[in-house]
Amino acid sequence: MTTTDVKVLDGGFSTQLATHVGERIDGDPLWTSRFLSTDPEAVYKTHLDFLRAGSDVIETNTYQASIAGFVKYLGKSEIESLQLIRKAVELAKRAVKTYKTETKGQEVSNPDPIVAGSIGPYAAFLHDCSEYTGGSYKDIDSMDSIMEWHKPRIETLIAAGVDLLAIETIPCAREAEGLIGLLKQYPGIKAWLSFSCKTDGKSIADGCNFRETILRCRQAANPDQIVAYGVNCLAPRSVTPLLKSVNQNNANELIPMVAYPNSGEQYSSETYGWTTDGDFHPPEEFVKEWLDLGVRYIGGCCRTGTKDILRIATEVKNWKSHQ
């Protein structure tokens, strides 16, 4: 990836999906992955929305998908659960195919979009918001059982043909390091690794130092297997200090970063709702600053939709034109 090769990601899947299903999605223990079973056509349409908005990379609808979750909340068998994960890849690929067909011969910013397999943390399955508080499992003796929980989804996404993995919203340094080790079993796949972070500008959710955690993961990872490290689902105004902690003094050799914040609204685990405070700043305000700090994968997370991605894509285009 060159210094100006920036990939625009998609936005908050639940936010955009809601425009098709007209239902409240936040608070569901399966979150958007339930719709792989109940309304796959809406999942496909949501992917297509983001491609039309300018996304170079769309993520599969598998952030909160797992065998255990589908068995518990949908009554699926293990085989049926894995089939739903494969279906998630098929729906994303179908959207890419449709988009490339409808834009053939046109000049678009994203003529060859790719599919990233979404890998959410174990905390997402627990459905207790611990992906934002550090992971209620961070102090267990061994991460082996957590890696065994991750493994079937990773293997299924890879076998179904995703272009890379989006390992995201990871709240726990030990889980991240375990996933780095697990990835070594699949040397042909690339991934980005994105953390859930505190608002203090220096820590991931479990209190470990953001920069130090990234450096440990880089040292442990196979060379070139991790395409970027970063942060997602944090208010935009809290992202810059984290990026600076990694790359502010690395002008000659920036570590490639990924950033896809939420809208800046605050989520309540009690009401499953979102509120806005007086210091609200949308993601597009920070695009130039983040790209200057080494971000090469940029998009949105919760509460960001196609309009946000359009604005982010415009800012990316403007930045590229001045390089």
Side-chain angles (χ1 to χ4, degrees):
M1 177 175 270
T2 65
T3 56
T4 57
D5 187 9
V6 177
K7 300 296 186 186
V8 176
L9 311 181
D10 52 12
F13 201 86
S14 66
T15 302
Q16 192 62 31
L17 178 64
T19 67
H20 294 288
V21 299
E23 297 179 34
R24 179 171 177 162
I25 300 169
D26 292 338
D28 190 304
L30 291 175
W31 204 31
T32 60
S33 63
R34 178 180 296 276
F35 292 87
L36 292 170
S37 176
T38 62
D39 198 343
E41 199 67 14
V43 173
Y44 157 76
K45 289 177 181 177
T46 301
H47 287 311
L48 195 53
D49 289 344
F50 283 122
L51 291 168
R52 289 168 174 165
S55 295
D56 297 295
V57 185
I58 56 170
E59 291 189 34
T60 59
N61 181 30
T62 51
Y63 172 83
Q64 211 143 320
S66 67
I67 294 174
F70 288 143
V71 169
K72 182 176 181 179
Y73 298 110
L74 287 179
K76 300 293 185 182
S77 68
E78 179 175 339
I79 292 175
E80 290 170 332
S81 299
L82 293 173
Q83 287 173 341
L84 284 179
I85 294 171
R86 282 193 291 271
K87 179 185 282 188
V89 181
E90 292 166 2
L91 292 167
K93 285 186 169 186
R94 178 183 159 206
V96 169
K97 184 177 180 180
T98 298
Y99 177 73
K100 292 179 77 169
T101 298
E102 69 183 23
T103 58
K104 187 175 181 179
Q106 300 178 25
E107 188 172 333
V108 293
S109 63
N110 57 338
D112 294 300
I114 61 176
V115 174
S118 175
I119 303 292
Y122 181 69
F125 163 67
L126 297 178
H127 189 53
D128 59 2
C129 290
S130 60
E131 62 262 53
Y132 305 111
T133 60
S136 54
Y137 49 91
K138 63 185 175 64
D139 296 322
I140 64 173
D141 292 336
S142 172
M143 277 282 153
D144 290 349
S145 63
I146 307 300
M147 294 307 108
E148 286 302 312
W149 178 88
H150 275 294
K151 193 171 184 176
R153 177 173 54 176
I154 289 175
E155 288 186 339
T156 302
L157 290 171
I158 293 172
V162 295
D163 297 290
L164 75 165
L165 296 175
I167 302 173
E168 54 188 350
T169 332
I170 303 299
C172 171
R174 291 179 63 212
E175 184 175 15
E177 291 164 8
L179 284 163
I180 289 288
L182 183 57
L183 277 181
K184 290 182 177 181
Q185 298 179 26
Y186 317 97
I189 192 73
K190 294 183 182 295
W192 74 67
L193 175 58
S194 182
F195 292 92
S196 173
C197 294
K198 294 178 179 290
T199 58
D200 63 1
K202 62 182 181 181
S203 309
I204 67 172
D206 70 353
C208 289
N209 183 272
F210 178 70
R211 179 178 182 273
E212 291 175 0
T213 301
I214 287 175
L215 293 179
R216 283 200 308 274
C217 288
R218 283 193 86 207
Q219 186 174 19
N222 278 342
D224 301 322
Q225 191 170 21
I226 307 297
V227 300
Y229 297 86
V231 55
N232 72 288
C233 213
L234 189 68
R237 64 175 181 264
S238 298
V239 170
T240 299
L242 292 162
L243 300 177
K244 284 183 175 179
S245 75
V246 175
N247 270 340
Q248 189 168 36
N249 298 318
N250 292 346
N252 295 326
E253 189 179 355
L254 296 174
I255 295 174
M257 303 292 288
V258 56
Y260 45 119
N262 58 38
S263 64
E265 297 165 87
Q266 296 177 328
Y267 181 68
S268 168
S269 60
E270 296 179 357
T271 65
Y272 300 116
W274 296 81
T275 58
T276 304
D277 63 23
D279 192 26
F280 176 78
H281 296 276
E284 66 268 16
E285 288 186 14
F286 302 88
V287 171
K288 180 183 182 301
E289 181 177 39
W290 294 346
L291 297 181
D292 287 342
L293 285 168
V295 169
R296 295 298 175 260
Y297 295 83
I298 187 168
C301 204
C302 292
R303 300 289 285 180
T304 61
T306 53
K307 291 181 180 179
D308 299 283
I309 298 306
L310 279 166
R311 289 191 289 264
I312 289 170
T314 298
E315 291 300 318
V316 169
K317 182 179 179 180
N318 290 340
W319 181 84
K320 287 182 177 181
S321 70
H322 289 91
Q323 298 306 300

